[in-house]
């Protein structure tokens, strides 16, 4: 028995205990733990003595981000989790105050951390191959560096946005009939990704050895790396993605800890050629995650039609793992900080219907997705709403959820700010 009833097959059973930042309506965003359809105020639990003696600063959970908590390290995270289970299962001597429990739907959720840096990787071999074929039809799909290092770029933390934030269609330079022209992106896309969040960071000049990644990684969430493919295609050479990516990146509200994900760790695929020593570990850094993309359009909503699942895929066969990504991004001495986010790259499977972006699902416009009302999509239209969903494990009785993250496309504003295009 828990202090709140948890519905069967809830994404947030007592084995999950994800943390997030929510405002219950009093203007004081703070840290909460999700339990079934409810959330429990971590600051109130701290005040009630649930975490007494663990070494948590008084205001740790009263802030608008989890950064200070993540900085405390793995022993503290583990102790907090154990105390939470005791308190929420009613076996603790410290009672959970009634007023610290709210329905989750009452909270206005923010992103869980304030990252200093955000990196986006490119670690699915299926996605990299599919995109390589489309962007460079005359060359090798995978460039020679792809199997040697986890390819990535530094993204923009200032435009990481919470669940539900509308996404304005960007304008910029793109080719129209082969000629560069400024205007609204006509090829707005999504990228289904899993984010990894840094707990304890590292100092400048002190790389994180892959064998110690477990001490530095706090947990995982869902990320939608919205992408304007036409702007991206025009700008990406020679320095990589820029404005085609940085207008919005949606982050899911509930951060699931590595400890909760422990039962779902699996061996990643064998890598060929074998990676360099600094990228080599025997630890199982793959994760058995199931991921989905759901879409509904303005017309579907008007007709009372529910969202439709347009992609289902798995995370277990990602080529490069979060531990390899962290070891790689710090190997040159770059620092990371508590709350930093690095995303997996688009998660695509090998089969049709398991691709994590529209440009792949609709074969660059050649195979539009048919929707239940008979309309088609190659790329996103204004009013389209995309929701990513994810969970760990196949058995509904034991699986744990990553929750969801969604956003709706708004019409473009002219780049000079004088009105609509
Ligand atoms: Mn991406």
């Amino acid at each position: 028995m828990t202090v709140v009833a948890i519905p069967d097959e809830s994404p947030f059973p007592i084995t999950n205990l994800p943390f997030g930042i929510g405002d219950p309506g009093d203007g004081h965003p703070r840290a909460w733990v999700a339990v079934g359809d409810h959330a429990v105020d971590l600051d109130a639990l701290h005040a009630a003595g649930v975490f007494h003696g663990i070494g948590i600063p008084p205001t740790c959970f009263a802030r608008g981000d989890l950064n200070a908590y993540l900085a405390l390290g793995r022993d503290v995270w583990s102790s907090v989790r154990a105390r939470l289970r005791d308190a929420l299962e009613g076996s603790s001597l410290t009672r959970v105050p009634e007023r610290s429990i709210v329905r989750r739907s009452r909270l206005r959720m923010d992103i869980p951390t304030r990252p200093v840096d955000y990196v986006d990787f490119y670690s699915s071999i299926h996605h990299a191959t599919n995109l390589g074929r489309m962007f460079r039809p005359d060359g090798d799909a995978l460039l020679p560096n792809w199997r040697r290092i986890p390819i990535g770029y530094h993204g923009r933390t200032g435009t990481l946005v919470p669940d539900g934030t509308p996404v304005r269609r960007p304008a910029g330079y793109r080719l129209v009939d082969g000629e560069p022209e400024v205007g609204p992106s006509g090829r707005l896309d999504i990228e289904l990704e899993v984010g990894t969040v840094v707990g304890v960071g590292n100092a400048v000049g002190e790389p994180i050895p892959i064998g110690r990644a477990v001490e530095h990684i706090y947990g995982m969430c869902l990320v939608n790396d919205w992408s304007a493919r036409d702007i991206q295609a025009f700008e990406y050479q020679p320095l990589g993605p820029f404005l085609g990516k940085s207008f919005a990146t949606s982050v899911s509200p509930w951060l699931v800890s590595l400890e909760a994900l422990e039962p779902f760790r699996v061996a990643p695929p064998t890598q060929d050629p074998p990676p360099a020593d600094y990228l080599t570990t025997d630890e199982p850094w793959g994760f058995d995650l199931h991921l989905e993309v759901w879409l509904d359009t303005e017309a579907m909503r008007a007709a009372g039609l529910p969202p439709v699942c347009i992609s289902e895929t798995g995370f277990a066969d990602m080529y490069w793992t979060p531990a390899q990504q962290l070891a790689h991004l710090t190997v040159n001495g770059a620092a990371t900080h508590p709350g930093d986010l690095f995303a997996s790259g688009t998660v695509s499977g090998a089969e049709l219907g398991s691709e994590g972006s529209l440009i792949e699902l609709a074969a660059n416009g050649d195979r539009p997705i048919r929707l239940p009302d008979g309309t088609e999509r190659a790329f996103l239209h204004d009013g389209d709403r995309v929701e990513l969903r994810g969970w760990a494990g196949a058995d509904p009785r034991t699986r744990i959820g990553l929750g969801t993250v969604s956003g709706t496309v708004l019409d473009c504003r002219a780049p000079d700010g004088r009105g609509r295009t």
Side-chain angles (χ1 to χ4, degrees):
M1 278 298 284
T2 49
V3 295
V4 292
I6 302 176
D8 286 345
E9 302 186 18
S10 166
F12 304 135
I14 197 73
T15 47
N16 192 345
L17 301 178
F19 286 12
I21 297 295
D23 181 341
D26 62 7
H28 294 290
R30 53 191 185 267
W32 301 77
V33 56
V35 188
D37 293 334
H38 291 80
V40 185
D41 182 337
L42 288 164
D43 187 46
L45 292 186
H46 195 17
V50 168
F51 308 122
H52 181 74
I54 300 177
I56 298 179
T59 58
C60 187
F61 294 123
R63 336 164 5 132
D65 60 68
L66 292 169
N67 293 25
Y69 174 66
L70 299 196
L72 298 176
R74 194 156 65 128
D75 291 346
V76 172
W77 309 331
S78 201
S79 302
V80 163
R81 192 173 160 81
R83 293 282 182 90
L84 272 176
R85 281 197 70 151
D86 274 358
L88 296 171
E89 287 177 325
S91 51
S92 168
L93 293 175
T94 316
R95 280 177 50 85
V96 174
E98 191 94 11
R99 58 181 167 71
S100 68
I101 305 171
V102 301
R103 290 197 71 81
R104 262 197 300 118
S105 55
R106 250 194 63 192
L107 296 177
R108 198 160 63 89
M109 300 301 294
D110 201 343
I111 62 176
T113 68
R114 288 286 150 215
V116 171
D117 283 302
Y118 160 55
V119 168
D120 192 33
F121 282 100
Y122 190 56
S123 290
S124 157
I125 198 164
H126 308 299
H127 173 73
T129 304
N130 290 340
L131 247 65
R133 282 195 189 116
M134 284 186 260
F135 277 62
R136 292 180 303 276
D138 303 323
D140 288 336
L142 282 187
L143 294 175
N145 57 7
W146 197 89
R147 287 174 181 272
R148 296 287 182 179
I149 51 174
I151 301 293
Y153 64 94
H154 283 96
R156 192 162 189 85
T157 52
T159 40
L160 295 171
V161 296
D163 180 33
T165 304
V167 173
R168 177 76 62 188
R169 178 182 301 275
Y173 259 112
R174 72 273 190 271
L175 294 180
V176 179
D177 299 327
E179 289 301 316
E181 223 177 70
V182 177
S185 170
R187 299 164 60 113
L188 185 57
D189 199 353
I190 56 127
E191 292 194 337
L192 165 64
E193 306 200 19
V194 173
T196 302
V197 173
V198 174
V200 178
N202 64 302
V204 175
E206 294 176 17
I208 296 175
I210 194 163
R212 309 195 71 162
V214 71
E215 296 162 37
H216 292 269
I217 290 175
Y218 177 76
M220 299 173 107
C221 59
L222 295 171
V223 172
N224 185 347
D225 177 25
W226 303 85
S227 299
R229 299 298 179 195
D230 40 6
I231 295 171
Q232 181 186 355
F234 185 70
E235 74 182 0
Y236 88 106
Q237 287 176 321
L239 288 185
F242 193 44
L243 304 181
K245 300 281 191 173
S246 60
F247 55 94
T249 305
S250 302
V251 179
S252 65
W254 295 105
L255 181 56
V256 177
S257 67
L258 197 58
E259 191 170 337
L261 290 167
E262 195 62 43
F264 308 100
R265 288 177 67 173
V266 293
T270 305
Q271 295 176 313
D272 179 24
D277 285 349
Y278 82 91
L279 294 171
T280 299
T281 173
D282 291 335
E283 292 171 61
W285 276 105
F287 291 86
D288 175 23
L289 308 182
H290 179 89
L291 306 168
E292 295 177 348
V293 182
W294 292 71
L295 172 72
D296 60 59
T297 68
E298 215 165 88
M300 284 169 67
R301 291 192 296 275
L305 293 168
V308 60
C309 180
I310 58 169
S311 176
E312 282 185 76
T313 194
F315 191 71
D317 74 340
M318 289 293 277
Y319 192 88
W320 295 105
T321 69
Q324 290 177 314
Q325 291 166 342
L326 185 61
H328 183 63
L329 86 85
T330 61
V331 72
N332 65 346
T336 61
H337 298 88
D340 276 4
L341 175 68
F342 54 100
S344 59
T346 308
V347 185
S348 291
E351 298 84 32
L352 287 181
S354 69
E355 302 93 335
S357 67
L358 294 178
I359 194 172
E360 293 167 90
L361 285 163
N364 205 9
D366 290 344
R367 190 182 59 226
I369 300 164
R370 265 193 95 73
L371 299 175
D373 62 355
T375 58
E376 293 183 335
R377 281 294 181 278
F379 292 97
L380 295 172
H381 293 199
D382 294 346
D384 287 357
R385 178 179 174 277
V386 175
E387 180 174 297
L388 309 183
R389 304 178 183 178
W391 61 84
D395 185 343
R397 290 166 304 177
T398 55
R399 72 188 185 191
I400 65 169
L402 292 168
T404 65
V405 63
S406 71
T408 303
V409 178
L410 298 182
D411 62 343
C412 190
R413 295 279 163 83
D416 62 7
R418 280 185 298 182
R420 301 188 176 191
T421 51

